[in-house]
Structures are given as C-alpha cells and as structure tokens.
Amino acid sequence: MADKKLKVTLVKSANGIVPKNKKIIEALGLHKVNSSNILPDNDATRGMLRRVDYLVKVEEA
C-alpha cells in the first residue's frame, strides 16, 4: 500500500505574518511564492497546514 502524499504550494507571501507561522512555512520546506514541496499525509503535517491554510494550496500527489 502506497503512502499518501500532499503537494503543498505557497501562494501568498509570508512577509508580515506571525513569526510562529513563518517558522511553520519554513518547516514545510517552502521558501518563495509558488514554491512547492511534497510531504507525507499525516497528522503532524495536517496540523501545520491548518495553521497556515490562508497562505498555501494543498493537493493530493
């Protein structure tokens, strides 16, 4: 059984946001607008995405 993956794309700039959320963006491996990263679909990743849902776009990969 294959592990599920999520493709996360930063769609809005992280300038001027709460410092804790900025660290979450860095932890997700996102640097510039339109940068993407493929992450495992687990509870930890889902929790981080819930905090910064207004900055990212999430798709199944």
Side-chain angles (χ1 to χ4, degrees):
M1 181 175 172
D3 293 329
K4 292 188 178 187
K5 301 283 184 179
L6 298 173
K7 181 180 179 184
V8 181
T9 305
L10 186 64
V11 294
K12 200 171 177 189
S13 176
N15 289 339
I17 65 170
V18 178
K20 187 173 184 179
N21 288 356
K22 195 164 191 167
K23 290 190 183 223
I24 291 173
I25 292 293
E26 292 172 6
L28 291 171
L30 304 173
H31 304 287
K32 296 181 177 181
V33 175
N34 292 327
S35 65
S36 297
N37 198 5
I38 296 180
L39 302 166
D41 185 7
N42 56 33
D43 291 339
T45 304
R46 290 282 181 170
M48 288 191 284
L49 292 173
R50 203 170 297 120
R51 292 291 300 259
V52 294
D53 62 346
Y54 61 99
L55 297 172
V56 298
K57 177 176 73 168
V58 181
E59 306 168 333
E60 290 188 18

